[in-house]
Structures are given as structure tokens and as C-alpha cells.
């Protein structure tokens, strides 16, 4: 089995890690590079030999790190090319919650959020049922487009009940808060507990086509309706996310208790 040598040698580009670097730390290093845009969709990952040289680990450790990235849906092996970064991609809510916990922002590197609209609207049936209100009940809406490296990734419309707006008046302003749900949960003093995500496909509206830069006539988009509840059972947000067909929606779900 191949193993790198010269562990005490300082290698250019090697992150500051302990000598007993494991596959999880290596995976985390490349995961961050993918999330902050250093490694963009379509980029070829370093070879296992290069990873082994850079981190001073056995090839089995490097291979386990690459397997973890693959199982998270971040990379795919391409015969004759190597391992490449997949995309374009739209991160799941769990990824953004973890990102906010570590950075204070729900957006990754290279991502920007452009507010399209804020205001009050009557809850349509889709939203009313999930907020447990009568259709037509006034609710607050924030519509925005999230782009990565200037390219639109998804359009989201977030709907908030009155008790959320009462403690987070910032949501009525057309500026990005860096984590609206997190701010509301903090003000309410109750942690986010779970999210229900319902995925379907439909034709894009003209507004969605314009926001996402889609130019064809009839375009199929993926719609995710996301209902986030707090530990006390109250709904903190219902959001409708729409992405073009070339964008991959990605999340992982633990299967152990």
C-alpha cells in the first residue's frame, strides 16, 4: 500500500492540520472549498496520490475522504478524467443551518441573495394549509434569488406568520439578514426542530423564468415546499423554492437513530 513520506516536510498548500489527520478532516477541507467556490462545479479534484502527498496519509485514508464527499453528493467519479465537483447545486436547509452555526450566515462563499420583494399578501391555499391559517389571511412574504458566482441558482418565497414578524421586524426590510429563520428562532427563544420538504415539478411562471434567467418557452422547474417548525410545534417559516432543471437539489438524511 502506498503511503506518503516526509511527514514533517512543509508542503505548499497543505492546511494546518495535526499529524494524525483523518479522512473526516480531509473531507471537511475539500467540502469547504466546494462550498466557498474555490472548487467550482466541473472542476477536477486532486488525485488520490496528490491528496496523499499533501496530507501525509495512507491512500486508504484519502480514498475514504473521497468516498465521503461522493456519498454527500458533492463529487462524482468520471472515467478517464478523475473525480469532479458536481453542480450547479442548491444546498439543503440542513447544510445552511450548519453553515449559519459556524459562520453566522446561511450563504456559502460565492453566494449572494438578491431581494425581489417584501410585503404582505393573502395566504394562498398552499401556504395557508401549512401555516394553519384560513386562505386569504395576511402573511408576510420575502422573495429573493440566490446566485452563486453571479449565476442564479434558485428563487425562494418565504412566508412568515404574524408572531414571527412581531419579534423580527427586520424581515419587513428589503435587505438580507444572513439567516432569517435563525434570527426569528433566537428572538422567539425556541430552537428549530424539523423541516418537511415536499418536492414536485411544474412549469415555470414568467416571473420565475425572468428571475432565473430561463429563456425557453415552456420550462420545467423543480419546486420544493419547505415547512420549518420549532421545538414548541409552531411554524417559523413556509418557503417555496424553485430551481431550473439543470440545478441539482441535494441533501443527505441520517438513517441511524
Amino acid at each position: 500500500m502506498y503511503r506518503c513520506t516526509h511527514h514533517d516536510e512543509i508542503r505548499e498548500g497543505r492546511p494546518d492540520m495535526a499529524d494524525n489527520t483523518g479522512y473526516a478532516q480531509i473531507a471537511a477541507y475539500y467540502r469547504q472549498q466546494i462550498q466557498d467556490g474555490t472548487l467550482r462545479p466541473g472542476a477536477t479534484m486532486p488525485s488520490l496520490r496528490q491528496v496523499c502527498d499533501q496530507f501525509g496519509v495512507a491512500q486508504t485514508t484519502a480514498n475514504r475522504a473521497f468516498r465521503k464527499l461522493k456519498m454527500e453528493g458533492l463529487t462524482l467519479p468520471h472515467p478517464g478524467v478523475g473525480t469532479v465537483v458536481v453542480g450547479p447545486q442548491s444546498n439543503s436547509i440542513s447544510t445552511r443551518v450548519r453553515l449559519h452555526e459556524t459562520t453566522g450566515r446561511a450563504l456559502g462563499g460565492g453566494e449572494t441573495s438578491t431581494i425581489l420583494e417584501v410585503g404582505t399578501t393573502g395566504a394562498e391555499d398552499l401556504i395557508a394549509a401549512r401555516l394553519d391559517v384560513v386562505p386569504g389571511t395576511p402573511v408576510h412574504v420575502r422573495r429573493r434569488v440566490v446566485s452563486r458566482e453571479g449565476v442564479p441558482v434558485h428563487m425562494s418565497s418565504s412566508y412568515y406568520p404574524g408572531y414571527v414578524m412581531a419579534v423580527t421586524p427586520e424581515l419587513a426590510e428589503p435587505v438580507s439578514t444572513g439567516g432569517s429563520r435563525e434570527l426569528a428562532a433566537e428572538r422567539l427563544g425556541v430552537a428549530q426542530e424539523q423541516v418537511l420538504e415536499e418536492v414536485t415539478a411544474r412549469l415555470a411562471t414568467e416571473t420565475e423564468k425572468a428571475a432565473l434567467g430561463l429563456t425557453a418557452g415552456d420550462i420545467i422547474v423543480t419546486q420544493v415546499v419547505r415547512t420549518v417548525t420549532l421545538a414548541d410545534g409552531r411554524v417559523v417559516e413556509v418557503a417555496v423554492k424553485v430551481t431550473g432543471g439543470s440545478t441539482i437539489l441535494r441533501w443527505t438524511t441520517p438513517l441511524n437513530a
Side-chain angles (χ1 to χ4, degrees), residues 70-202:
K70 175 186 173 183
M71 295 306 295
E72 291 177 4
L74 297 175
T75 63
L76 281 175
H78 278 216
V81 176
T83 298
V84 300
V85 178
V86 299
Q89 58 187 324
S90 180
N91 290 332
S92 67
I93 183 174
S94 60
T95 299
R96 296 191 181 279
V97 168
R98 301 289 85 77
L99 188 62
H100 189 275
E101 288 177 349
T102 56
T103 68
R105 290 185 55 81
L107 297 176
E111 287 188 327
T112 56
S113 177
T114 303
I115 304 296
L116 303 179
E117 176 189 352
V118 295
T120 302
T121 186
E124 58 185 271
D125 291 349
L126 178 72
I127 304 304
R130 287 155 182 79
L131 285 177
D132 197 22
V133 298
V134 176
T137 299
V139 295
H140 192 76
V141 62
R142 286 171 62 88
R143 302 190 203 281
R144 62 199 177 279
V145 170
V146 172
S147 302
R148 184 174 292 115
E149 304 299 337
V151 178
V153 176
H154 68 255
M155 174 182 176
S156 289
S157 299
S158 296
Y159 299 86
Y160 302 98
Y163 52 80
V164 168
M165 295 306 299
V167 297
T168 51
E170 295 95 329
L171 301 188
E173 301 297 326
V175 294
S176 178
T177 64
S180 300
R181 284 187 322 277
E182 287 73 19
L183 179 61
E186 179 183 348
R187 297 277 179 81
L188 290 167
V190 185
Q192 300 179 77
E193 183 170 79
Q194 71 175 29
V195 57
L196 169 65
E197 293 177 283
E198 303 166 275
V199 185
T200 189
R202 60 169 174 78

Side-chain angles (χ1 to χ4, degrees), residues 22-99:
Y23 78 94
Q25 290 95 328
I26 297 173
Y29 173 71
Y30 287 113
R31 184 187 304 111
Q32 182 61 44
Q33 290 205 322
I34 292 170
Q35 291 176 345
D36 68 18
T38 302
L39 288 170
R40 300 185 180 184
T44 302
M45 295 286 290
S47 68
L48 290 178
R49 178 64 178 262
Q50 289 172 320
V51 173
C52 192
D53 280 340
Q54 181 177 356
F55 292 94
V57 295
Q59 188 170 350
T60 52
T61 301
N63 190 54
R64 287 188 70 187
F66 270 35
R67 283 185 58 196
K68 185 170 179 60
L69 294 173
K70 175 186 173 183
M71 295 306 295
E72 291 177 4
L74 297 175
T75 63
L76 281 175
H78 278 216
V81 176
T83 298
V84 300
V85 178
V86 299
Q89 58 187 324
S90 180
N91 290 332
S92 67
I93 183 174
S94 60
T95 299
R96 296 191 181 279
V97 168
R98 301 289 85 77
L99 188 62

